[in-house]
Amino acid sequence: MMPFQEMAKLNKLIHEPARLAIMSALEACSMAEFLFLQELTGLTKGNLSSHLSKLERAEYLLINKNYIRKKIPQTTIQITHEGEAALRAYWKQLDRIREVTKQWQKTSF
Amino acid sequence: MMPFQEMAKLNKLIHEPARLAIMSALEACSMAEFLFLQELTGLTKGNLSSHLSKLERAEYLLINKNYIRKKIPQTTIQITHEGEAALRAYWKQLDRIREVTKQWQKTSF
DNA sequence: TTTTTCGATTTGATTTGCAAACTAGTTTAA
DNA sequence: TTAAACTAGTTTGCAAATCAAATCGAAAAA
């Protein structure tokens, strides 16, 4: 397939900037609390919450709601193996597309 | 700024997959006809048309409507210097963020 | 003449992404 | 003790974005 066609069809669940940031942060941390993740990404709580839900639905993340002294909620988030694999695959695909694009430029005219 | 915060704030005009494909194709071609660009990117005419309009509004592209024998429309599209600069800046920023993210992983825990 | 094709643009439905409003509980202050 | 303010997150409402289908104006074919 033409590299530009592949580019136009990138995995949007991961490609979206806020979610790419979340996934990258979680890959580095392997586990993080909600508020820490908010600090890392600079997202509002609302947006962080809804992006996390989407990633959870895709089984890229595992979200765990704990309560400190049974009272204060504390949510911890982990990236799953599937999530890590998807992130790696995303970068790999992007790199490959860029490489092919360069080649294409030289050989096709 | 934290790399993840930068990631969450990438230039969305260029970041969108369809437009990234268009911009990349045009950087390789420097000039292309509408239908050729459609073939390269695999987009429908409708989507190609509307994405081109957005990129034109941002002055990343120059769109020229010619008529063959005064009748058949033939639209040619060129990337502007501003567009090329924006695309280069986009990749550069993305590469930098990825690099910093790797560093961050090693040094912050 | 009508019908189909060609090169696009516009329209309309759906989906997103964001911020503001809200929830459920806790701590502080009066 | 009761109200105000804070904490940790979720839900809601809506503008903007995306995508495919419908449309457009002209030309060629039947």
Side-chain angles (χ1 to χ4, degrees):
Chain A
M1 204 199 295
M2 218 88 75
F4 312 113
Q5 291 187 29
E6 281 189 76
M7 210 173 260
K9 284 173 185 162
L10 282 163
N11 176 349
K12 284 190 186 163
L13 187 60
I14 290 194
H15 187 69
E16 204 284 324
R19 288 190 293 265
L20 191 55
I22 292 170
M23 294 292 283
S24 302
L26 284 169
E27 204 199 17
C29 294
S30 86
M31 166 154 348
E33 291 164 22
F34 185 94
L35 293 176
F36 180 50
L37 202 52
Q38 194 200 345
E39 205 183 318
L40 288 181
T41 58
L43 296 167
T44 61
K45 290 176 185 183
N47 292 340
L48 179 54
S49 176
S50 62
H51 285 304
L52 288 177
S53 296
K54 275 190 194 174
L55 293 167
E56 187 186 27
R57 244 172 283 145
E59 304 193 334
Y60 287 176
L61 302 183
L62 240 127
I63 299 181
N64 217 291
K65 279 162 226 245
N66 302 305
Y67 291 86
I68 296 176
R69 299 200 315 279
K70 313 236 176 198
K71 295 297 182 175
I72 298 169
Q74 197 202 37
T75 302
T76 59
I77 302 119
Q78 292 172 75
I79 194 165
T80 61
H81 291 303
E82 211 181 320
E84 288 188 331
L87 185 59
R88 267 199 307 277
Y90 170 81
W91 286 126
K92 197 172 163 187
Q93 193 192 2
L94 197 62
D95 288 339
R96 237 205 63 254
I97 293 172
R98 283 174 75 179
E99 200 46 53
V100 177
T101 298
K102 277 189 217 160
Q103 301 295 317
W104 193 87
Q105 200 161 0
K106 286 175 201 148
T107 60
S108 308
F109 286 107
Chain B
M1 206 199 293
M2 220 85 77
F4 313 113
Q5 291 187 28
E6 285 187 72
M7 210 173 259
K9 284 173 186 161
L10 281 165
N11 177 349
K12 285 187 186 165
L13 188 60
I14 292 194
H15 187 69
E16 204 285 323
R19 288 190 294 266
L20 192 56
I22 293 171
M23 293 291 284
S24 301
L26 285 170
E27 203 198 18
C29 295
S30 84
M31 165 153 350
E33 290 163 23
F34 185 93
L35 292 176
F36 180 51
L37 202 52
Q38 195 201 345
E39 205 183 317
L40 288 182
T41 58
L43 295 168
T44 62
K45 290 176 186 184
N47 294 339
L48 178 56
S49 178
S50 62
H51 284 306
L52 287 177
S53 296
K54 273 190 197 176
L55 292 167
E56 189 187 25
R57 243 172 283 145
E59 305 194 334
Y60 286 175
L61 302 183
L62 238 125
I63 299 181
N64 217 291
K65 279 162 228 246
N66 302 305
Y67 290 87
I68 298 174
R69 300 199 314 281
K70 312 238 175 198
K71 295 297 182 178
I72 298 169
Q74 196 201 38
T75 302
T76 59
I77 302 118
Q78 292 172 74
I79 193 166
T80 61
H81 290 303
E82 211 181 322
E84 289 189 330
L87 185 59
R88 267 200 306 280
Y90 169 81
W91 287 127
K92 198 173 162 188
Q93 195 193 0
L94 196 61
D95 289 339
R96 236 205 63 252
I97 292 172
R98 282 175 77 181
E99 201 45 54
V100 177
T101 298
K102 277 188 216 163
Q103 299 297 318
W104 191 87
Q105 202 160 357
K106 287 175 203 149
T107 61
S108 306
F109 287 109

